Amino acid sequence: FRNLLNVRFSPHKKMNIFFGENAQGKTNILESIWLLSGKKSFRGAKDREMVNFKRDFFKVQSKFIKDEREQEISVFYDNEKKFLINGVETKNLGEVNAKFSAVVFSPSDISLVGDGPSVRREFLDNAILSIYPAYEKVLKNYQKAVAQRNNSLKDLRFHSEIEFVLDAFENSIANYGFLIIKYRNRYVDLLNEFAPTIFSEITRKKEILKLEYCTTVGATIDDFRTQLRESRESDMFTLKTSVGPHRDNLEVLINGVSARNYGSQGQKRTASISIKLSEGEVIEKVTSCRPIILLDDIMSELDPERQNYILNQIKNKQVFLTCCDPSNIVNLKKGKVFKVENGKTQRVKI
Ligand code: ATP
Ligand code: MG
């Protein structure tokens, strides 16, 4: 797998740290574990790019414990990706994810709090998808209806008689859109059961984190339909649908103000980490499957208190963490440490 050839390690139940210089294979290790969850590379890599330059396949295999028994999962790629769970092949990625789930946090994930609303909508949708597979259909139908409405807006300028076509598309938009908002609100409620506590534990200050789903849509499906009808005239010029969950935002508030607009780098980072760790808690609450936590290169920009939380206080989860500078991990109380060098791992005592 990438530059990792015949790497084999036996991780600690709780904390596992992979440290080493740049370009040695630390992130590759997390990426390989992540693939076992049935998802695509979190670095946006294509499957074939993860095949070692000198080979024509990759293979990642792991034993893991679920439902109190040891099980085995592997992913094999040679032009096509195949999963084997306890010796039985499956192409159903949902089934893979239900067996082996993970949450990953990499440095670019600070954008979760710092960037525009579309990043947070995407986060919400992906997080919901991984626990409620039925949501996929709702999203697709909604997106299709919006695309159809946008397309028809073009014609409306010259053919006012097609208003009834728009009625039909707007009806679908309102129905599916309303469902999306329901799913997202429910999910944000779930996140709020965990994120504020995790955030205050990490910061050990009286900073308060709150997540708020802000929608452009009125309180009922009928309101939504009316909004769509009333925006036809202006939407006709932009050829876009100006109202709906595709324009909504997940507000991240620290002490009541927008973290995106007012938060420091460290606050944004801590808020994003708290949200991701809460995603793990929500997976566990809803599916009773305990996800693995993958943390890529997050230590160097955190202050010692926050580092200590990451190293020693993440509860009830198996964590895999990478970092360059071993001085960031000297306060580790329980766990295993591996040095990564040129695609090889070696356990070391710290
Ligand atoms: P950093 O500290 O900079 O994040 P890292 O240890 O996380 O470094 P990785 O991203 O895990 O580094 O690994 C990068 C190395 O893997 C690079 O040297 C790269 O050339 C090598 N690599 C990436 N893809 C492949 C591949 N398909 N085949 C062989 N080597 C690869
Ligand atoms: Mg890396």
Side-chain angles (χ1 to χ4, degrees):
F1 182 87
R2 291 200 189 262
N3 75 335
L4 311 169
L5 299 175
N6 301 314
V7 168
R8 178 186 277 265
F9 57 87
S10 165
H12 189 268
K13 263 193 202 164
K14 295 197 79 175
M15 179 52 97
N16 297 279
I17 292 171
F18 295 87
F19 79 94
E21 292 174 6
N22 294 135
Q24 300 305 309
K26 303 180 299 292
T27 305
N28 294 346
I29 289 173
L30 300 194
E31 192 180 34
S32 70
I33 298 172
W34 173 252
L35 283 198
L36 291 172
S37 73
K39 304 269 179 74
K40 288 185 192 145
S41 160
F42 59 77
R43 294 202 265 195
K46 300 199 173 75
D47 289 338
R48 66 179 147 75
E49 291 165 356
M50 294 179 279
V51 173
N52 180 274
F53 298 140
K54 293 185 180 146
R55 303 284 169 104
D56 47 16
F57 71 91
F58 71 68
K59 183 172 181 186
V60 186
Q61 185 166 19
S62 173
K63 289 189 173 151
F64 66 103
I65 310 245
K66 178 167 160 49
D67 303 330
E68 289 165 26
R69 67 184 174 99
E70 190 178 277
Q71 311 197 35
E72 197 174 273
I73 187 164
S74 65
V75 54
F76 177 83
Y77 174 86
D78 66 344
N79 291 322
E80 208 192 350
K81 210 157 56 174
K82 279 187 204 139
F83 287 88
L84 226 61
I85 302 176
N86 299 324
V88 181
E89 191 184 330
T90 176
K91 291 212 164 73
N92 180 346
L93 299 180
E95 189 189 340
V96 174
N97 191 251
K99 273 278 178 194
F100 192 101
S101 65
V103 170
V104 62
F105 187 90
S106 63
S108 63
D109 282 319
I110 189 181
S111 67
L112 186 57
V113 173
D115 281 10
S118 65
V119 180
R120 285 179 296 285
R121 286 193 300 265
E122 198 184 350
F123 160 73
L124 282 180
D125 288 341
N126 287 331
I128 296 169
L129 279 171
S130 70
I131 48 174
Y132 302 114
Y135 184 59
E136 188 173 1
K137 219 168 178 175
V138 178
L139 265 186
K140 286 218 166 115
N141 287 338
Y142 176 78
Q143 284 155 355
K144 189 171 150 204
V146 170
Q148 285 171 320
R149 178 181 187 266
N150 293 349
N151 232 354
S152 310
L153 285 167
K154 241 186 314 204
D155 304 328
L156 186 63
R157 272 191 240 170
F158 310 105
H159 304 280
S160 56
E161 70 275 13
I162 66 153
E163 296 236 0
F164 77 95
V165 180
L166 277 171
D167 286 344
F169 295 147
E170 287 173 2
N171 216 13
S172 294
I173 294 177
N175 287 326
Y176 291 117
F178 221 71
L179 261 178
I180 291 179
I181 294 167
K182 244 176 144 169
Y183 268 104
R184 288 186 184 164
N185 268 320
R186 165 93 187 105
Y187 189 79
V188 173
D189 286 346
L190 284 166
L191 282 179
N192 269 325
E193 285 180 29
F194 303 101
T197 317
I198 294 175
F199 185 80
S200 62
E201 279 172 3
I202 301 181
T203 56
R204 298 177 99 210
K205 294 196 183 109
K206 291 196 185 77
E207 284 181 52
I208 296 167
L209 176 77
K210 192 164 187 292
L211 306 173
E212 232 171 60
Y213 187 71
C214 302
T215 182
T216 48
V217 171
T220 67
I221 296 192
D222 274 341
D223 292 343
F224 191 4
R225 238 181 256 123
T226 310
Q227 285 174 291
L228 287 163
R229 203 172 316 115
E230 285 175 351
S231 58
R232 274 182 202 175
E233 211 157 302
S234 52
D235 288 356
M236 213 161 68
F237 293 97
T238 56
L239 300 181
K240 287 191 180 122
T241 297
S242 57
V243 59
H246 64 288
R247 305 294 292 264
D248 290 353
N249 188 19
L250 171 68
E251 277 278 11
V252 180
L253 304 169
I254 297 177
N255 294 337
V257 296
S258 155
R260 182 186 176 206
N261 298 338
Y262 300 104
S264 73
Q265 282 293 102
Q267 277 178 319
K268 285 182 199 160
R269 191 171 302 274
T270 312
S272 329
I273 294 170
S274 309
I275 295 170
K276 282 285 180 167
L277 292 176
S278 316
E279 184 189 348
E281 296 295 337
V282 174
I283 292 175
E284 185 164 351
K285 177 172 171 154
V286 175
T287 68
S288 334
C289 177
R290 182 172 291 174
I292 283 164
I293 308 288
L294 307 170
L295 303 173
D296 193 19
D297 220 353
I298 65 165
M299 294 301 267
S300 56
E301 289 173 57
L302 297 178
D303 64 32
E305 293 285 9
R306 294 174 202 226
Q307 285 184 350
N308 180 47
Y309 178 90
I310 300 291
L311 287 177
N312 301 310
Q313 282 163 278
I314 297 179
K315 290 186 200 91
N316 301 324
K317 296 279 183 297
Q318 188 177 35
V319 182
F320 293 80
L321 176 144
T322 71
C323 70
C324 289
D325 183 359
S327 72
N328 287 331
I329 53 171
V330 286
N331 293 322
L332 175 72
K333 295 198 179 104
K334 237 193 223 163
K336 284 189 184 177
V337 179
F338 300 90
K339 179 163 193 205
V340 184
E341 203 170 357
N342 195 17
K344 298 257 181 298
T345 58
Q346 190 195 1
R347 181 155 181 217
V348 293
K349 294 258 181 247
I350 281 239

